[in-house]
Amino acid sequence: MQNESFDLHELFQTVLLEARAAWRYRWRALAVAWCVMIAGALLVFSLPNKYEASAQVYADTDALTNPLLRGVAVQPDVRARLEVVTHTLLSQPNLETVADKTGLSVRVSTPAGKDELLLRLGKAVQIKSAGTQNLYNLSYNDSDPQMAQRVVQAFLQILMNDTVGANTASTTTAQNFLEQQVQDYGKRLSEAETKLADFQKANVGFIPTQGGSNYFMRLQAAQTQLQALQAQYDTAISSRATTQQQMRAMATGSASSGIDPRTQDVDSQIATYQQKLSTLLLSYTDEYPDVISTRRMIAQLQARRAALQKNVASGSMMGVASDNPVYQEMQKSMYTTQVSIQTLATQIALQQRQISDLKGGADRITDVQATLQQLTRNYDVTKKQYDQLLERLNTAQLSQDATQSGNNLKFRVINPPLVPLLPVSPNRGVLLLLVFAFALASGAGFGYLLHKLTPVFTSLRDLQAYGSYPVIGAISLIVSGARGWRQRRDVIGFLAGASLLPMALAFAFVFNGQLARVVQQLFVMGGA
């Protein structure tokens, strides 16, 4: 600890001795400090003011129509469009438009100067995110506050116009293309419809049915139907033969037995009424109306039976059989079967003729079917393409209407650009402080440099260390009163001159703007 304390004391003594030696050149150091201070201040005040105009915009990417039109209209990629608009805002055409519109281009007179101006303009315009999603700050610095405001306003106008153009340009291009394609395919569809209709008219009778059956299917169906008709015809012939055999058997049986079926029926009715009469007589007398009517019915049936027996005895049994209800039903069935046989025969003849015609026109029918299939296929393909294009055209029109009304991407100005009143650069206060510190360092450094160039001995130790001569001692300087007064006046003058440096710094702080205008006007006048 003692060694460290001794080292610090030695260092302090060394610095103090060096400062005392450099004190000889204090006036020169002060002059250098003032020169540096004045030159630095003039340089700081000559720097032109930079005024910043800024605007804050919000990119609205969530239009109200987006959820309503989802699945109906085309939904553009709004995020990608936003990136394209913000990145192309500082393109060369936009920079030229802003320079011409705001009057920046008047500052230069040559093409090379204009290129350099546009390059500086592109670097000066800043587009930065404000920290919140879709919120951006657009700013520009210029020595003229009015110009700064006009430039930002011009870029905002381009941003709005490019947004509307980006929302409609792609949709309009797609719509024009689809309209052209719809017209083209509409003509193709009309030609296909005309060809198909003319071909069908020219080949009536050789066109397949609407079910789509071809020639071979029609021939097979005709043959199958002919077989079915032939089977029905054979069945009807067999049924007619069977019925005829049963009718002959019935007539022969009636002749051999001599029994009239009609008499049997009457006997059955008489037996029924007699049973009914017996039941009534158990409860009522002979004068009861039901008893009287029943006896009268029995008498009528008996008279009828007698008449039938008389007819049987005098007539033939064929008449008896013909009066039989069963025989009559068989006759009706016989007539129906005969009609069916004639009808089936006619249908079989027609079906055989159709099969013959199909076989005779096999080549033409096959050609007609092949050509019809080709025409129909071409028509279906063309119609499908036409319907798809028409649907897409309607979607594009709806998307364009939605874009024009809803506008998927909108820029809303949150803070419009205003004319700045105070400059944002240069920061003359900080620069003046740096100049002041540099002036002090320059003055002190210059004095110390002169000391090193013309060194003197400031202590006995320095004298002893310089050479090998023995140093006996030191004699103190006794200063007279007049010399002491001159020394004190010299110190007071130096301190006064040095104290003017911070006072000048404070003055520059207070009258920053006024001094800057004066210095800049002097530079303009000197340059003129």
Side-chain angles (χ1 to χ4, degrees):
M1 291 292 293
Q2 292 180 356
N3 293 332
E4 293 179 359
S5 176
F6 179 77
D7 293 339
L8 291 176
H9 179 71
E10 290 291 333
L11 178 63
F12 177 74
Q13 290 295 328
T14 302
V15 171
L16 185 61
L17 292 174
E18 293 292 333
R20 185 181 298 173
W23 177 257
R24 297 177 299 149
Y25 305 103
R26 56 188 178 275
W27 287 105
R28 297 180 184 179
L30 182 61
V32 170
W34 270 105
C35 291
V36 172
M37 184 68 181
I38 294 173
L42 290 176
L43 179 62
V44 169
F45 289 127
S46 66
L47 295 176
N49 291 331
K50 294 292 184 180
Y51 296 90
E52 181 179 84
S54 63
Q56 193 171 68
V57 294
Y58 174 72
D60 187 5
T61 59
D62 299 325
L64 179 61
T65 55
N66 288 349
L68 301 177
L69 298 176
R70 187 174 291 112
V72 179
V74 177
Q75 298 296 317
D77 190 351
V78 183
R79 299 292 180 184
R81 181 180 298 171
L82 175 61
E83 294 182 0
V84 171
V85 170
T86 54
H87 283 80
T88 58
L89 181 62
L90 300 180
S91 61
Q92 186 74 11
N94 290 341
L95 294 176
E96 292 181 357
T97 301
V98 171
D100 295 337
K101 184 177 181 180
T102 58
L104 276 175
S105 58
V106 180
R107 297 180 178 179
V108 294
S109 58
T110 61
K114 186 173 183 180
D115 292 339
E116 185 178 357
L117 174 67
L118 296 180
L119 184 61
R120 292 198 304 268
L121 177 61
K123 293 180 179 180
V125 177
Q126 300 292 329
I127 303 175
K128 297 181 180 179
S129 176
T132 306
Q133 186 178 11
N134 297 344
L135 193 63
Y136 297 91
N137 289 329
L138 178 63
S139 60
Y140 172 70
N141 294 334
D142 194 84
S143 58
D144 184 2
Q146 300 287 342
M147 180 62 69
Q149 189 270 342
R150 288 199 299 269
V151 169
V152 175
Q153 185 65 40
F155 275 110
L156 281 180
Q157 189 65 34
I158 292 176
L159 190 64
M160 301 298 179
N161 295 336
D162 286 351
T163 302
V164 176
N167 286 333
T168 57
S170 59
T171 306
T172 303
T173 302
Q175 183 176 345
N176 294 335
F177 173 75
L178 289 174
E179 287 178 352
Q180 182 179 0
Q181 293 298 315
V182 166
Q183 293 178 358
D184 186 15
Y185 272 89
K187 294 179 181 178
R188 296 184 185 181
L189 184 61
S190 299
E191 294 176 357
E193 289 176 347
T194 303
K195 290 181 180 179
L196 184 59
D198 294 341
F199 183 79
Q200 289 177 346
K201 292 178 182 179
N203 296 275
V204 175
F206 298 94
I207 303 297
T209 59
Q210 294 182 353
S213 59
N214 56 22
Y215 163 74
F216 298 101
M217 294 177 63
R218 292 171 60 190
L219 180 59
Q220 185 178 2
Q223 291 175 346
T224 302
Q225 187 175 0
L226 177 61
Q227 293 175 359
L229 291 174
Q230 189 65 46
Q232 293 178 8
Y233 180 79
D234 295 340
T235 301
I237 293 296
S238 177
S239 176
R240 184 182 64 178
T242 302
T243 303
Q244 289 176 349
Q245 184 178 2
Q246 290 177 353
M247 291 175 64
R248 286 195 296 270
M250 181 176 292
T252 305
S254 298
S256 60
S257 61
I259 300 175
D260 189 355
R262 294 175 296 177
T263 304
Q264 293 178 351
D265 184 51
V266 174
D267 290 340
S268 175
Q269 294 180 9
I270 291 173
T272 301
Y273 279 106
Q274 286 180 349
Q275 184 178 2
K276 181 180 179 181
L277 179 61
S278 299
T279 303
L280 290 173
L281 289 177
L282 291 175
S283 302
Y284 304 101
T285 61
D286 293 340
E287 302 299 330
Y288 190 70
D290 289 344
V291 173
I292 296 174
S293 61
T294 302
R295 285 179 174 174
R296 185 166 54 251
M297 183 59 69
I298 291 173
Q300 292 177 357
L301 290 173
Q302 288 177 349
R304 183 179 177 185
R305 182 175 181 278
L308 288 174
Q309 288 178 348
K310 184 177 180 182
N311 290 333
V312 169
S314 59
S316 63
M317 294 305 298
M318 181 59 68
V320 175
S322 62
D323 292 335
N324 190 349
V326 178
Y327 188 84
Q328 293 176 356
E329 290 296 328
M330 293 177 69
Q331 283 183 333
K332 292 179 181 180
S333 177
M334 182 69 178
Y335 296 149
T336 303
T337 303
Q338 188 65 31
V339 173
S340 298
I341 290 172
Q342 294 178 356
T343 303
L344 289 172
T346 303
Q347 292 178 353
I348 288 172
L350 293 175
Q351 198 68 23
Q352 289 176 346
R353 185 182 304 169
Q354 183 180 0
I355 293 174
S356 178
D357 293 340
L358 287 173
K359 291 181 178 180
D363 295 337
R364 182 176 179 183
I365 292 176
T366 305
D367 295 339
V368 168
Q369 289 181 351
T371 306
L372 181 63
Q373 289 177 357
Q374 182 180 0
L375 292 174
T376 304
R377 182 170 56 252
N378 294 338
Y379 171 78
D380 293 338
V381 171
T382 305
K383 188 176 186 303
K384 182 179 179 180
Q385 292 291 337
Y386 177 79
D387 293 339
Q388 291 179 353
L389 289 172
L390 188 61
E391 181 180 359
R392 292 180 182 179
L393 177 60
N394 294 332
T395 303
Q397 291 175 347
L398 182 61
S399 301
Q400 185 177 15
D401 295 339
T403 300
Q404 292 176 352
S405 59
N407 201 353
N408 302 91
L409 176 60
K410 285 184 177 180
F411 282 97
R412 305 183 185 277
V413 179
I414 305 299
N415 294 323
L418 301 177
V419 178
L421 300 178
L422 298 176
V424 294
S425 67
N427 192 345
R428 291 192 175 89
V430 176
L431 294 177
L432 288 174
L433 286 175
L434 294 176
V435 168
F436 177 74
F438 184 72
L440 294 179
S442 299
F446 182 74
Y448 184 73
L449 177 63
L450 292 179
H451 159 64
K452 287 298 182 181
L453 293 176
T454 57
V456 295
F457 298 108
T458 58
S459 65
L460 291 176
R461 186 172 54 184
D462 292 341
L463 182 59
Q464 292 172 354
Y466 179 74
S468 59
Y469 300 102
V471 178
I472 299 175
I475 300 175
S476 300
L477 176 65
I478 299 175
V479 181
S480 63
R483 184 179 176 86
W485 167 246
R486 287 197 301 270
Q487 289 180 351
R488 288 192 296 272
R489 187 179 57 184
D490 183 75
V491 172
I492 292 172
F494 176 78
L495 293 177
S499 63
L500 288 177
L501 283 173
M503 294 178 63
L505 177 65
F507 181 80
F509 275 147
V510 174
F511 299 98
N512 182 3
Q514 293 83 346
L515 290 174
R517 284 194 294 271
V518 171
V519 171
Q520 291 175 12
Q521 289 177 359
L522 290 176
F523 271 96
V524 172
M525 293 173 61

